[in-house]
Amino acid sequence: FSSVVGAWCRCEGVKMADESGLTETGQLLRKMNVMQAPEENKAELDKIGGLEGLAKLLEVDLKNGLTAEQTEKSRQVHGDNEMPEPPMTWFITLFIASFNDPVLIVLIVAAVVSFALGLVSEHEEHGWIEGVAIMAAVLIVAVVTAGNDYAKELQFRALAKFAATMESCTVIRENGTRLTLNPKEMVVGDVMALKGGDQCFADCCLFECDEKAGVAMDEAALTGESELLVKTPNKDPFLLSSTVCASHGNAEDAKAVVIGVGSFSQWGRIQANLEQEDVNTPLQDKLEDMVVIIGYLGTAAAICTFAVTMIYIAASDPSSQDWLDGAIDAFIIAITIIVVAIPEGLPLAVTISLAYSMKKMALDNNLVKHLQACETMGNATNICSDKTGTLTEGRMALVEGWFADNFVREEGFDQFFNAFKDGPVPKGGGSVSGTLTEGRMALVEGWFADNFVREEGFDQFFNAFKDGQTPKGVEAWKGKPGGEWLAPLLQNIGINSSGEVTYGFTYFAPPRDKEPVPLPWLANEELMKARVPEEWGEDRCNESRFQQVMKDRPDHFNMTELALLSFAHKLDFNTVGAKKNGSVLRVVPFNSKVKRSSAMIGLDGGTLVRVLVKGAPEIVVDYCSHYASSKGGAAGAPLDGAKREELASAQDAMSNGQKRVICLAHKDVLLADLPSDPKTMSDAQLDALVTSGLTVDAFVGIIDPLRPDVPASVKIAQSAGVKVRMVTGDNLKTATAIADKAGIFKTGDIAMEGPEFRKLTPAQLDDMLPRLTVLARSAPEDKYLLVTRLNGKNMPKDQKEWEVSHPGSSWVSEKDLLLPGYWEEWSKCHPGGGDVVGVTGDGTNDAPALKAADVGLAMNSGTSVAKEASDIVVLDDNFSSIVTAIKWGRCVYDNIRKFLQFQLTVNVVALLLVFIAALLGNADSPLNAVQMLWVNLIMDTMGALALGTEQPTDELLKRPPYKRDASLVNAPMGRNILVQSFFQLVVLLLLLSLGAKWFGVPEGNVCGEYSNKAFDGNEGFHWDLKGKYAGKNKGSVGCSTFLEGTGPSSLDCSDDLKYTCYEDKGYHDFEKDEKTHLTFEETCLICEEYDFRHYTIIFNAFVFCQIFNEFNARSITDDWKVFRGLHTNAIFLGVILVTIALQVFIVEVGGLFTKTSPLSPMQWVVTAAIGFVALPLGVVMRLIPATENPNNFATLPSTDSSSKV
């Protein structure tokens, strides 16, 4: 049975941490993996023979990694690396917790008392029903509250699960192959490769790293240790799950063998018992403050209503039973008023809106890690953005160059290459689109065979050299007149290089061993259409299928090589095949001292050797004696002084355009003329060979180009009142050039470098902040100082904190001179609370600034440290996604205000209606406790669901952000609330006073049909003909007069035992019994059927007013088109339909429980029509002038300078 359960658990992703079933190997691993015991763990490791013994124990080759068979065996024995989820809070627990609300407790007590009195009362045959109805309503509220909390927890877990699918790690398996896996796929015995910024996803034992520096690990997330701990194989080799590699020294990477995964890792054991605490968002805090204020007002209204009701009871000569019944009824109504008044749905609306937005934002490439980031991002006033990968494509692209004696500039690049379409070189559409190189370094410009091709015409120039097929080498161009220069150029790029581009991966599902796709035309469309698992490893029980997924952007560890290789692939040159070709004789990697790399290949059956050189143009061009030209044949043309000046001019032009310039050259020599075999040639001989007699093939200009959508996105952000600043480590020229193209650096703006920035005083920086848009050559500390000065979040609060931040500096003499300043000084300069700042980052060193920001935005391509420090992970590394996050944040903020507008209207009307009815002396409240609890449900849960899920629109980005302390209710909202409240209140009061007459129904809640109480003889004849109390059994009018016609015929109601006759004959004016203080009705009659139609009409009209006003609430401005975009919110329409359906059910079926009577079709139509009036009134009310207070917005300073600085 246990084996069956274990197999089921593995298939369903359930982890069993029962250590009693551990194998002998598992027990040994457990002994050397005790928490907070590195010395004891090292001793246990030494007992089994150290690292060599550990490798033997795990049967793993530390150099080559596990085989596929070993991997599967380890997975079966030790499990995989799925972390256990924290314990789920059961629904019943949340249900019980919902009764902790003191208001609900009071209502329950009141319901119990009402139920008990109804059972023992002599005059309230159905009195128990109200108590039961209130209890049922309270239970519904508790179920809904618990359901919302339960759904919220499920949403957070789903989001966390989604975030886990985005993680990846590198392991070595199958003869040393590096594989990129989801951490879930790691097993005990895997060899993991770590670099600075990587997260450690399992417990490991370090066996290879930089011997001097070791590996610096940040264990704060696991142990709370604030200092970095240096790990080495000899002293402390244990790397713990959930920790982060801060630095791996100067080695290529660090390698460690996995010894603990999943629930048997140290982080897994903690996470299994981890309880997450809910933290309020800033908007929730602000709304809870409002809830308190409204609650006080509601309590005051409840007390006043209770007092007025008790005064009327006292003035009506009550019996003791009247006192008790009246007090209980008044108390229940008062408590219900408090329930309705307290808008506990506001925090719920925030939660619903934020959780909904978080899911939607993930689809828009924003993975939200912290709930408050949604709303905070909406009111961001500053975005401090990185350049590389965010504003730019994160790739070096070839955009300009010198080709075949033509200097093709950036703006004419495409046109130049289009001119070759009619030439002798193969041409066609090709199989590679430009999008395949999106997001990485790419070659975009250059000098090729005496042609300077600029960035703008680059694609057109080279499109002429494609034939739509897949050449396996350079044979497609060999011998083509005019194309001789292209063959050595492509050979130089493809062979004289390191590594290959990765366009995607092929794998068996679930994706364990991922093989890279090295060429774009290897993409298999059929495989790409196959279903890719939503989460790696989740379908492990299903049959594995071969699949392929292409990356959004190609990848390579060297950006320059990526640019060149992608360029060759655009021309369908098979760089992979070229490298595997047996004609490759030797490849010498790039040497930073001589600034070049070189290669040699055999041609013409090995009799000819082609020498390929690539490197810095100022170095390589001095080795050249010829240049490639479309007219010069294979040997090219002599390189004279004039041509050298032309090439130098082309190089300068590209350099001034902030492009990296690479020179590619070659020469052909006879194998017999070489001093020795190319494979064994000495360094001196090789150096002599590659430094003379070369032919310049091309100068290429490579740049990290601006993302195409960035200028438009920046413009949108600026029009939304967001100041965009660029903070980069690039030099000032490159930074300003990119910022200028992006639209960030404008007339009057300031650009400065980090060293200069750090010398500023706080006062000087404040003067520059309005115009400071570019910070170049910046250190991570500069970004942190800038952010802190803008928002004050981490500003030193006192002298002690300041001195910690500035060791060795004098508080007295330097506190006003050093950045970022201190709290007292900053708060005086920023009385409004400072800016709301969003910061982007991708590196480990960006973590402090990401933490200091109001919203930290980490790039998905960034390090684990950056992602951990962030609030939002931008999945596509795109600035436009950040603008989308702003739009969603504003949508959340406005959705809450829409709900607030709706709820305050309901509150005002309900409270005033009940209070005014009490003042008018109505025996019953027009809205009873159960009805008001239903209204409360409409307001809270259903209203929050309907209005909290509205979709964002582009209009949201056409207004400035709100200040931190801006009021939630603006002038247009106040106008809308007052007008709708006034209309509803007037209509409902008219229905209260005149509605019975208009609709032809009895006034108030009355009896529809009476029956007699049992009496002996003449008992009950207490009144005379005028209704005066004559004494017990001394009158001429008694109980049987009404029911049986015994006595005066003028008072006979035996044929019409309804309240209409009771009222018409004047029984309602009869004096009370002097001793019992009971009315004629209470003394003599039993109500068999009640008529609640009058107050049901009021209740129905009130609810329909709220239903139609919910449409009005979709706009909090002067825009009267409240149906715009309604088709995008199916939830809203669903809520409206469900509300109407439930209202029909309550009215038609509720009966004594809800004190409602069925209405006629005409009454339904009229009450619905009354509610419908709210819509045309919504159009009219928006014609009343009401302007948003400009002080609510965060204003942007204007620039007063006429030039860039």
Side-chain angles (χ1 to χ4, degrees), residues 515-536:
E515 295 295 333
V517 176
L519 294 169
W521 54 79
L522 296 182
N524 187 313
E525 294 296 331
E526 294 301 320
L527 291 177
M528 291 169 64
K529 291 177 183 177
R531 184 186 66 82
V532 178
E534 293 181 359
E535 295 185 15
W536 291 0

Side-chain angles (χ1 to χ4, degrees), residues 851-1175:
K851 281 288 188 183
D854 295 280
V855 180
L857 300 122
M859 301 299 104
N860 192 39
S861 60
T863 65
S864 297
V865 176
K867 294 178 186 178
E868 187 66 28
S870 68
D871 302 293
I872 297 176
V873 178
V874 183
L875 299 179
D876 62 351
D877 294 3
N878 204 326
F879 187 82
S880 62
S881 295
I882 298 172
V883 176
T884 301
I886 295 175
K887 183 164 67 173
W888 269 108
R890 293 189 178 187
C891 179
V892 169
Y893 191 80
D894 278 11
N895 284 352
I896 302 309
R897 297 202 300 161
K898 291 173 184 177
F899 175 72
L900 185 60
Q901 175 178 278
F902 170 69
Q903 187 171 52
L904 290 181
T905 303
V906 183
N907 274 5
V908 170
V909 176
L911 296 184
L912 288 179
L913 178 63
V914 174
F915 178 66
I916 293 174
L919 286 178
L920 295 175
N922 288 66
D924 293 314
S925 171
L927 297 176
N928 61 54
V930 176
Q931 290 171 353
M932 284 200 286
L933 287 173
W934 162 236
V935 171
N936 191 58
L937 191 64
I938 294 175
M939 286 193 311
D940 286 352
T941 302
M942 303 184 76
L945 193 61
L947 295 170
T949 54
E950 288 283 283
Q951 302 293 308
T953 65
D954 292 337
E955 295 295 319
L956 293 170
L957 297 175
K958 295 181 180 179
R959 63 164 171 80
Y962 284 100
K963 289 182 178 178
R964 293 177 184 270
D965 56 353
S967 173
L968 284 172
V969 180
N970 58 24
M973 290 172 61
R975 173 201 60 199
N976 299 347
I977 292 169
L978 291 175
V979 171
Q980 289 290 339
S981 298
F982 180 77
F983 158 70
Q984 293 183 24
L985 194 59
V986 169
V987 168
L988 295 174
L989 288 176
L990 286 174
L991 289 176
L992 180 64
S993 303
L994 304 172
K997 185 181 298 182
W998 290 347
F999 287 91
V1001 298
E1003 186 174 352
N1005 290 334
V1006 297
C1007 184
E1009 186 169 350
Y1010 292 108
S1011 65
N1012 195 4
K1013 289 187 176 180
F1015 290 104
D1016 294 330
N1018 292 328
E1019 185 179 356
F1021 282 78
H1022 306 328
W1023 296 270
D1024 61 20
L1025 292 175
K1026 295 183 179 180
K1028 300 292 184 181
Y1029 183 75
K1032 187 173 183 179
N1033 298 325
K1034 295 180 179 180
S1036 57
V1037 178
C1039 299
S1040 58
T1041 303
F1042 177 83
L1043 294 158
E1044 300 172 3
T1046 304
S1049 59
S1050 60
L1051 296 175
D1052 181 9
C1053 285
S1054 58
D1055 294 332
D1056 185 16
L1057 299 178
K1058 296 181 180 179
Y1059 186 81
T1060 51
C1061 184
Y1062 182 88
E1063 188 176 33
D1064 290 342
K1065 301 293 186 180
Y1067 283 105
H1068 65 290
D1069 292 326
F1070 276 29
E1071 289 183 350
K1072 292 185 177 183
D1073 187 316
E1074 292 179 351
K1075 292 183 178 180
T1076 63
H1077 300 277
L1078 298 178
T1079 64
F1080 181 91
E1081 183 181 23
E1082 293 169 334
T1083 303
C1084 300
L1085 307 178
I1086 298 175
C1087 186
E1088 295 293 339
E1089 182 180 344
Y1090 285 92
D1091 187 344
F1092 302 120
R1093 285 179 294 171
H1094 181 200
Y1095 282 0
T1096 301
I1097 289 170
I1098 296 174
F1099 170 56
N1100 208 43
F1102 176 74
V1103 169
F1104 271 100
C1105 282
Q1106 312 321 317
I1107 290 173
F1108 285 104
N1109 190 43
E1110 199 157 1
F1111 288 91
N1112 269 323
R1114 295 186 71 236
S1115 171
I1116 53 176
T1117 63
D1118 291 335
D1119 184 8
W1120 56 269
K1121 298 177 182 177
V1122 295
F1123 294 104
R1124 179 186 293 160
L1126 189 61
H1127 63 283
T1128 65
N1129 193 350
I1131 295 177
F1132 183 95
L1133 295 174
V1135 166
I1136 294 296
L1137 293 176
V1138 169
T1139 304
I1140 293 174
L1142 290 175
Q1143 178 66 13
V1144 171
F1145 178 82
I1146 288 172
V1147 168
E1148 297 295 321
V1149 183
L1152 289 173
F1153 281 90
T1154 57
K1155 290 188 176 180
T1156 57
S1157 294
L1159 300 180
S1160 68
M1162 185 273 292
Q1163 291 165 346
W1164 273 104
V1165 171
V1166 173
T1167 50
I1170 290 172
F1172 179 80
V1173 174
L1175 291 177

